[in-house]
Amino acid sequence: MAVRPRREAQAVDDRQRPRQVRHRPVSSAAPQRPAGSARLNWRIRLRRDRSLLLMTVPAVALLLVFNYVPLFGIVTAFQEYDPLVGVWHSEWVGFDQFQQLFGDPAFWASMRNTLYLSFVQLVLFFPVPIALALLLNSVMSERIRNLFQSVVYLPHFFSWVLAITIFQQMLGGAGVLNQFLRQHDIGTWDIMTNPHTFALLVTSQAIWKEAGWGIIVFLAALSAINSELYEAAAADGAGRLRRMWHITLPGLRGVIVLMLVLRLGNALSVGFEQFLIQRDAVGHEAADVLDTFSFYYGIATGGYSYGAAAGLFKSVVSLLLIWGANKLAHAFGEDGLYRK
Amino acid sequence: MTNALTIGSRRERRGREAGTTRRRARSARPPWEEPPTIVGRTAKGLTLGTTLAVILVPLWIIVLTSFSTPGAVNRAGGLVIWPDGLSTETYRQMLSDPTVVTALMVSLGITMVGTAVSMAVSVLCAYGLSRSRSFGHRFILMVLIVTMFVGGGLIPSFLVVTGLGGYGQWWALILPGAVSVFNILVLRAFYQDTSSELIDAARMDGAGDWRILWSVVLPTSRAVTAVTALFYAVGYWNSFFNVMLYMPTDSQKWPLQYVLLTYVNRGNGLPGSVNSGFGSAHAQTAPLSLQMAVVVLTLVPLVIVYPFVQKHLRTGVLTGAIKG
């Protein structure tokens, strides 16, 4: 690195250089750039990078308007929000909304539903992508693997409206299943409107739609496992199951814990549109979750502050959950979502 | 902050990609692995086959029903499971109905405009943040990432959009969700990997950042651009809740998904076409084959685009990894 003239042309070049350059000790034997070159004047850097900064402006502006401004909108949860006078002039009521919320049986019912549905989904849904990935990983034929992957990824791109319509046509009152049952005089069985099996229904919908997509991450983790480990284990006489237990599953551990942390952090968001669409069919007792509660009591009936309070409660609890889940992951010696 | 998220770190990704190629190269069974037993093989085949069938059979039935004549639907007593009297009559009927055509146009319009806006904004932002050591990129990155973890929630967002006069406006369906930070991070990770020799060479030739983005970076990262565009497009095509929030009454502005919901799933007649369109003979509910044709219509764009993008999905997803 010869001594070069220090001008702006050089400055432009500068940011392409690897970052270590900045941290090189001053006493190094290598030829030094003139003093002060490591950290350029901010004015020069600003001018050098102005087009880059300009490029980020539209995205940042949109996020400011539609993501940051609503953060301030949280104050409506502490008001009796009146759309006619706006946030500035609405009456402040402190924690009244929350008091009312916690005394509301409908709120606790939706809370209970949320936790129950979340639990059912965790138990029944979570292992499916792992199992599918393990299974697919053991398939040797490249063609079958590709075919399988392209088919199981597909439902992920369907909308909930479409997915539920498909379920309706297969399992609903006029669907294929009941059509078959009627033709054989067995009596009908309408799965789509039964509140008692609703948890199983939504879980199977979620599995149908998302399990295939979920295998991507696990497949990647599987292919990162060093195959020499398998070879060594086989040489030591470990059978198929032993190898899976001692090599494959430990290899997946980090990813599984990470996915579990994410899942727990999202325990209060079980799937909004899915429930919104099916709420009428099974009745709100079974289908109301925190998100739909916030929507129906907030927007549909005009009780904005009430809905905002429910939403805020949900966000706070979710943050606590994700934090707690991370602690748990650290306790098990895993990285979780962020490192300690 | 990005590096703190374990799975997505770049070094690990490289390692994983190397692992992928190793796996690809391995086509035969490794010598140390036992040959599969008949039982194991059957069980595996059955499981994989069932999984495929669970996804494909409903689609098969729906497509078949949409292509069936009313006679065939009657004979089957509902949905058609085996080909019998196929025709495209249903589709001709559907595409002459103003409600469906309007909804199709609305859906296509939202998808195209929305994807264009989102891609423009995201590509620019991702490139702007991808040159290491540029002024302020760390701060802007923080601004972006914060939105992934905390948000105002449904009601405050609704109040902001309506407060800006978005109720009943097209932009309310596009702008509030136009930026996906996740997609920006994916794009950015790819742009950082673009060969710096190429960029340096372009810079030597006097190209500015705009020029480099357009003629160097974009052409070398077509795959990830395609995947990101697909993600955005699918989001817009599937959007339904936004419509419910911001234009629930104006049926002239309903996209296909909303029509599908009210008309097929809830069994209502098509909005605005109770006495027209499908003809008064069918009163409120249209024939089953017609309903299924609407279902197929919402699937068509996806099925057209999917094969082209499908092979890139994996890389696109893993780059952003599980950050979202």
Side-chain angles (χ1 to χ4, degrees), chain A residues 305-321:
Chain A
S305 288
Y306 200 52
L312 180 60
F313 175 76
K314 192 201 131 188
S315 309
V316 172
V317 176
S318 290
L319 267 181
L320 287 177
L321 277 177

Side-chain angles (χ1 to χ4, degrees), chain B residues 51-68:
Chain B
T51 313
L52 290 183
V54 162
I55 293 169
L56 291 178
V57 167
L59 298 179
W60 161 261
I61 292 176
I62 283 168
V63 170
L64 212 54
T65 307
S66 75
F67 277 108
S68 290

Side-chain angles (χ1 to χ4, degrees), chain A residues 34-85:
Chain A
S37 69
R39 202 174 276 280
L40 289 169
N41 187 320
W42 69 269
R43 231 181 273 260
I44 298 178
R45 291 176 66 209
L46 181 59
R47 225 170 74 187
R48 180 192 69 184
D49 295 334
R50 64 179 184 276
S51 47
L52 289 180
L53 285 170
L54 205 62
M55 288 176 183
T56 64
V57 167
V60 172
L62 281 173
L63 286 176
L64 284 181
V65 174
F66 295 111
N67 290 72
Y68 279 89
V69 176
L71 282 182
F72 298 104
I74 288 177
V75 298
T76 49
F78 302 97
Q79 293 179 328
E80 187 61 61
Y81 177 78
D82 182 349
L84 292 178
V85 297

Side-chain angles (χ1 to χ4, degrees), chain A residues 274-319:
Chain A
Q274 196 187 355
F275 293 94
L276 200 66
I277 296 169
Q278 299 185 92
R279 188 177 183 263
D280 293 343
V282 293
H284 65 94
E285 290 90 353
D288 247 357
V289 291
L290 283 181
D291 283 323
T292 52
F293 179 89
S294 176
F295 173 71
Y296 277 103
Y297 291 83
I299 291 174
T301 60
Y304 297 106
S305 288
Y306 200 52
L312 180 60
F313 175 76
K314 192 201 131 188
S315 309
V316 172
V317 176
S318 290
L319 267 181

Side-chain angles (χ1 to χ4, degrees), chain A residues 12 14-17 19 22 38 42 45-46 48-49 51-56 58-60 62-63 65-71 73-74 76 81 132 135 137-140 142 145 147-155 157-159 161-162 164-166 168-170 175-176 179 183 208 213 216-217 219-220 223-225 227 230-231 234 238-240 243 255 258-259 262 272-273 276-277 280 294-295 298-299 304 307-308 319 335-339, chain B residues 3-7 16 19-20 22-24 26-29 32-36 44 47-48 51-52 54-56 58-59 61-62 76-79 81 121 124-125 127-129 131-135 138 140 143-144 146-147 149-152 154-161 164 171 175-176 178-179 181 184 200 203 209-210 213 230-231 234 238 240-241 244-245 257 260-261 264-266 288 291-292 295 298-299 302 306 310 313-314 317-318 322:
Chain A
V12 169
D14 195 62
R15 72 174 173 237
Q16 305 301 336
R17 204 163 290 157
R19 279 197 63 204
R22 211 164 92 182
W42 69 269
R45 291 176 66 209
L46 181 59
R48 180 192 69 184
D49 295 334
S51 47
L52 289 180
L53 285 170
L54 205 62
M55 288 176 183
T56 64
V60 172
L62 281 173
L63 286 176
V65 174
F66 295 111
N67 290 72
Y68 279 89
V69 176
L71 282 182
I74 288 177
T76 49
Y81 177 78
L132 278 180
L135 192 67
N137 195 46
S138 71
V139 172
M140 284 294 133
E142 199 66 32
R145 291 168 60 107
L147 171 79
F148 188 81
Q149 289 189 35
S150 40
V151 171
V152 294
Y153 292 170
L154 193 60
F157 297 102
F158 295 174
S159 67
V161 178
L162 183 58
I164 289 167
T165 306
I166 290 174
Q168 177 75 41
Q169 297 304 328
M170 295 303 121
V176 173
Q179 190 178 317
Q183 277 162 5
W208 186 83
W213 188 248
I216 293 187
V217 171
L219 278 182
S223 64
I225 296 176
S227 60
Y230 288 107
E231 203 175 339
R240 206 184 282 277
R243 290 201 300 269
V255 185
L258 177 66
M259 298 308 279
L262 286 173
F272 183 36
E273 294 195 354
L276 200 66
I277 296 169
D280 293 343
S294 176
F295 173 71
I299 291 174
Y304 297 106
L319 267 181
D335 277 335
L337 194 58
Y338 52 84
R339 294 205 178 101
Chain B
N3 285 335
L5 304 169
T6 37
I7 292 290
R16 204 183 291 134
T20 317
R22 205 190 312 129
R23 169 160 292 282
R24 284 273 154 71
R26 191 196 78 179
S27 55
R29 185 170 297 279
W32 41 266
E33 207 168 289
E34 308 85 350
K44 200 193 282 182
T47 320
L48 291 177
T51 313
L52 290 183
V54 162
I55 293 169
L56 291 178
L59 298 179
I61 292 176
I62 283 168
L79 292 149
I81 295 167
V121 169
L124 285 179
C125 184
Y127 178 74
L129 297 176
R131 304 331 313 156
S132 59
R133 302 196 60 190
S134 75
F135 182 78
R138 253 159 234 288
I140 297 176
V143 170
L144 259 60
V146 164
T147 64
F149 291 99
V150 291
L154 174 67
I155 310 276
S157 310
F158 176 79
L159 292 180
V160 167
V161 175
L164 292 170
W171 66 257
L175 293 185
V179 187
V181 175
I184 290 184
D200 281 343
R203 210 176 284 285
D209 280 312
W210 297 91
L213 171 61
L230 174 79
F231 285 163
V234 166
N238 287 345
F240 141 80
F241 183 57
M244 194 164 167
L245 277 182
Q257 304 286 346
L260 181 67
L261 177 73
V264 180
N265 202 331
R266 299 221 166 123
L288 195 59
Q291 296 185 18
M292 294 307 103
V295 174
T298 63
L299 269 168
L302 201 64
Y306 184 67
Q310 191 249 329
L313 282 179
R314 211 182 127 88
V317 175
L318 289 177
I322 334 178

